[in-house]
């Protein structure tokens, strides 16, 4: 028997040559690489090396510390009742404006739910989340929307157990999935362990290609559908939905007033979209599955609330402030500040005074004049609120207020020495991109702390190859932010100097 620790090609070859010389010493064998026996030894060693490699890979996919494949991580997560999240849809506020017409201003305009608005190329499509009505004599109305499209498909039941209905469209976006059989709604469950023969239950899975699959019962565990099935779900999502302000300008559906007359309307997004995120990675699945095992479906401690908020698709960072952190917070209440994935792009305009009044509801913010509430869109805030309202019970008497994270724009003045002055405009754009990415609200910058000047200098110096040296002219020691605020890049000024080595 070979040494069980011999698992690689070289060690297996050495062991096999020794065994051949011991067992077949009476035969004329040539165990060298040039001989026929040596060729057979190499072949056996190669097969053994490959089998051990596959065995090691299969074993490491069985444990949280070593898993690397997303499908294997999903199977491990299912053991603790956690289903990995797919792509998250970016959210934005769409502004519908009626054309200037005295006659049309006298009638209300209905904007149905799922009204689509797209960019100039028509590839990025957002749909409104709910129905809205533009009152008479009002020029515009703001409606929350998301980067997702509602899909619907029908199929006849096969009367067979364990039916699986694959979605026709991809990629699947995290959100509500509804199934009807002969017009009667069925109920989504995590598994069929508690389902009886007459229970209209179904469960869902998402494969590696981000395609939704709906699993139905087998009779003893869950009812077998016998009629026409109708499946509704959403597709889209992903980080590409984090578009800049003013990108969504194409209205792809006619709108009508209360008298049935078509009304000329325009649409745009005053602020950038945020919250779009790719499907969970293996590291995120590992973290969220273990958090699910620890906190279950409760929100008792501060960490429980933070963990469940981070599990909402599109949320990058959160901070919970209670009376323990700030005495101005009312008793038995907390303010959960939410920051979306993707953050605010550097080209996005600063939030106006009116927007600041509408979005900042915390008493901590009432006297803060230089902060803007732009960390999350209204639709993402509602998504977090729904999680705590329906899925995660909070302690009796405790009120949780979910608000966008307040952002503090930091204006920076620089002096840069260039070895190629003709690239000054290119350098300024590169400097803004580098600083905006480093000061992104969804990044790693700590809450309530301004960046260190040395870190800013390091980021600025590596922003472009033409930069020979930089100097930060802004005195950050004269600025201050509160513990629940996040710094972002504000105005950027740059003085160009010639560098002569």
């Amino acid at each position: 028997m070979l040494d069980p620790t011999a698992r690689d090609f070289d060690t297996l070859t050495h062991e096999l040559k020794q065994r051949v010389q011991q067992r077949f010493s009476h035969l004329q064998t040539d165990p060298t690489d040039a001989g026929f026996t040596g060729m057979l030894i190499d072949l056996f060693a190669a097969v053994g090396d490959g089998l051990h490699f596959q065995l090691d890979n299969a074993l490491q996919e069985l444990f949280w510390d070593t898993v690397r494949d997303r499908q294997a991580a999903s199977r491990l997560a299912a053991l603790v009742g956690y289903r990995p999240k797919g792509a998250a849809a970016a959210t934005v506020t769409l502004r519908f404006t009626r054309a200037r017409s005295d006659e049309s201003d006298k009638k209300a305009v209905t904007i149905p739910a799922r009204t689509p608005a797209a960019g100039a190329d028509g590839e990025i499509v957002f749909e409104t989340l709910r129905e809205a009505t533009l009152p008479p004599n009002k020029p515009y109305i703001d409606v929350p929307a998301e980067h997702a499209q509602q899909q619907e498909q029908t199929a006849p039941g096969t009367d067979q157990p364990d039916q699986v209905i694959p979605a026709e469209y991809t990629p699947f976006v995290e959100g509500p999935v509804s199934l009807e059989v002969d017009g009667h709604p069925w109920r989504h469950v995590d598994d069929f362990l508690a389902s009886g023969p007459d229970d209209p239950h179904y469960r869902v899975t998402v494969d590696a290609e981000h395609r939704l699959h709906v699993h139905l019962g087998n009779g003893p565990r869950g009812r077998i559908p016998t009629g026409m099935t109708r499946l509704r779900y959403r597709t889209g999502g992903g980080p590409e939905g984090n578009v800049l302000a003013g990108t969504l300008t194409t209205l792809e559906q006619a709108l009508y007033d209360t008298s049935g007359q078509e009304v000329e309307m325009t649409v745009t997004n005053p602020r950038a979209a945020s919250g779009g995120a790719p499907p969970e990675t293996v590291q995120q699945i590992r973290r969220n599955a273990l958090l699910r095992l620890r906190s279950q479906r409760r929100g008792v401690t501060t960490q429980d609330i933070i963990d469940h908020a981070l599990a909402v698709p599109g949320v990058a960072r959160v901070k919970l402030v209670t009376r323990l952190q700030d005495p101005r917070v009312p008793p038995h209440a907390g303010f959960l500040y939410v920051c979306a994935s993707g953050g605010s792009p550097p080209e996005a305009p600063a939030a106006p005074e009116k927007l600041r009044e509408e979005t900042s509801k915390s008493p901590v913010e009432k006297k803060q004049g230089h902060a803007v509430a732009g960390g999350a869109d209204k639709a993402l805030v509602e998504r977090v609120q729904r999680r705590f309202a329906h899925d995660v019970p909070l302690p009796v008497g405790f009120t949780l207020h979910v608000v966008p994270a307040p952002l503090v724009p930091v204006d920076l003045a620089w002096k840069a020495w260039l070895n190629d002055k003709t690239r000054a405009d290119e350098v300024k754009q590169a400097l803004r991109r580098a600083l905006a990415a480093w000061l992104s609200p969804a990044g790693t910058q700590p809450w309530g702390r301004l960046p260190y000047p040395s870190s800013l200098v390091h980021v600025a110096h590596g922003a472009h190859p033409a930069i020979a040296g930089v100097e930060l002219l802004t005195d950050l020691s004269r600025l201050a932010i509160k513990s629940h605020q996040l710094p972002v890049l504000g105005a950027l000024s740059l003085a160009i100097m010639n560098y002569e080595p």
Side-chain angles (χ1 to χ4, degrees):
M1 182 177 180
L2 294 179
D3 183 358
T5 62
R7 300 172 62 85
D8 61 277
F9 178 81
D10 293 335
T11 307
L12 286 171
T13 303
H14 177 72
E15 288 283 331
L16 287 172
K17 285 182 179 180
Q18 286 187 338
R19 188 56 56 89
V20 168
Q21 291 175 354
Q22 293 173 2
R23 296 288 300 272
F24 304 101
S25 59
H26 61 286
L27 300 177
Q28 295 293 328
T29 59
D30 182 12
T32 62
D33 294 339
F36 179 74
T37 304
M39 181 185 68
L40 290 178
I41 290 175
D42 288 347
L43 289 174
F44 284 122
V47 172
D49 186 20
L51 291 176
H52 283 121
F53 175 78
Q54 297 295 337
L55 180 61
D56 291 342
N57 279 345
L59 287 175
Q60 75 177 3
E61 301 300 331
L62 299 178
F63 303 96
W64 277 119
D65 292 338
T66 56
V67 64
R68 294 182 300 178
D69 181 70
R70 192 177 188 277
Q71 288 296 95
S74 301
R75 288 192 290 269
L76 287 174
L79 297 177
V80 296
Y82 178 76
R83 184 176 68 83
K85 301 295 188 299
T91 56
V92 75
T93 299
L94 294 177
R95 175 164 294 179
F96 293 85
T97 306
R98 72 171 86 217
R100 293 189 174 276
S101 172
D102 295 339
E103 195 64 29
S104 63
D105 288 348
K106 298 179 182 179
K107 298 178 182 178
V109 179
T110 300
I111 302 172
R114 316 309 308 186
T115 298
D121 55 5
E123 295 184 358
I124 303 296
V125 180
F126 280 69
E127 291 186 352
T128 57
L129 292 175
R130 56 174 176 264
E131 182 178 307
T133 301
L134 176 61
N137 301 320
K138 187 176 180 181
Y140 67 87
I141 186 173
D142 291 338
V143 185
E146 64 178 359
H147 176 219
Q149 294 179 271
Q150 187 74 27
Q151 307 291 354
E152 181 178 316
Q153 65 183 67
T154 58
T158 61
D159 300 338
Q160 298 297 319
D162 297 317
Q163 296 180 42
V164 179
I165 304 176
E168 297 178 359
Y169 306 96
T170 58
F172 171 70
V173 174
E174 282 300 319
V177 177
S178 66
L179 177 70
E180 294 181 359
V181 178
D182 286 339
H184 300 286
W186 283 36
R187 186 163 65 91
H188 171 258
V189 294
D190 294 333
D191 53 61
F192 295 127
L193 295 178
S195 302
D198 296 326
D199 291 331
H201 294 168
Y202 69 93
R203 67 181 186 92
V204 298
T205 58
V206 182
D207 61 21
E209 285 74 33
H210 315 304
R211 184 181 300 276
L212 174 72
H213 295 266
V214 176
H215 301 260
L216 304 171
N218 58 6
R221 297 296 182 186
R223 183 189 302 177
I224 299 176
T226 58
M228 182 66 67
T229 61
R230 184 181 302 274
L231 176 64
R232 295 185 180 91
Y233 55 97
R234 300 178 306 152
T235 58
E240 58 272 14
N242 298 324
V243 297
L244 302 177
T247 302
L248 306 173
T249 57
T250 303
L251 188 60
E252 298 191 336
Q253 177 177 312
L255 298 177
Y256 301 88
D257 58 22
T258 53
S259 64
Q261 297 295 321
E262 183 175 346
V263 180
E264 183 180 354
M265 301 281 290
T266 61
V267 65
T268 188
N269 55 313
R271 297 184 62 246
S274 61
E280 284 184 333
T281 62
V282 172
Q283 292 76 14
Q284 292 171 329
I285 293 174
R286 180 190 298 117
R287 182 197 67 183
N288 292 332
L290 296 180
L291 290 178
R292 169 68 177 271
L293 184 62
R294 182 180 69 187
S295 60
Q296 299 298 319
R297 291 184 179 272
R298 63 176 184 268
V300 178
T301 67
T302 297
Q303 193 60 46
D304 288 342
I305 296 175
I306 293 175
D307 292 342
H308 283 290
L310 289 175
V312 175
V315 175
R317 308 173 69 184
V318 297
K319 185 176 181 65
L320 179 62
V321 177
T322 63
R323 196 174 182 83
L324 296 176
Q325 290 79 33
D326 194 307
R328 291 175 292 177
V329 176
H332 309 294
F335 286 87
L336 184 68
Y337 295 95
V338 179
C339 186
S341 303
S344 299
E347 294 80 5
E353 202 69 30
K354 182 176 180 181
L355 178 62
R356 192 155 65 234
E357 295 173 358
E358 292 175 351
T359 55
S360 182
K361 303 298 183 182
S362 165
V364 181
E365 293 303 307
K366 289 183 179 179
K367 296 183 179 180
Q368 185 67 22
H370 63 277
V372 294
D377 194 82
K378 184 178 180 180
L380 182 60
V381 170
E382 292 178 351
R383 193 184 299 172
V384 178
Q385 290 174 335
R386 285 196 300 270
R387 180 174 182 86
F388 288 101
H390 303 293
D391 300 332
V392 181
L394 295 170
V396 177
F398 182 81
T399 303
L400 183 65
H401 305 277
V402 183
V403 293
L407 309 181
V408 179
V410 179
D411 299 336
L412 299 176
W414 294 88
K415 183 185 291 186
W417 286 262
L418 306 184
N419 52 33
D420 186 0
K421 194 175 180 180
T422 60
R423 309 176 72 178
D425 292 339
E426 181 181 338
V427 167
K428 186 172 183 179
Q429 294 177 3
L431 181 62
R432 167 171 284 277
R433 287 195 298 269
L435 292 173
W438 194 76
L439 283 173
S440 169
T444 58
Q445 187 66 25
W447 291 83
R449 183 192 300 174
L450 288 169
Y452 296 113
S454 58
S455 300
L456 289 174
V457 170
H458 176 73
V459 173
H461 193 273
H464 196 276
I467 297 178
V470 292
E471 179 184 357
L472 179 61
L473 304 178
T474 303
D475 184 8
L476 295 179
S477 63
R478 303 180 63 180
L479 303 177
I481 63 176
K482 296 186 177 181
S483 60
H484 60 280
Q485 298 173 341
L486 285 171
V488 293
L489 181 63
L492 178 68
S493 60
L494 179 64
I496 302 297
M497 308 295 291
N498 286 330
Y499 171 69
E500 297 180 359

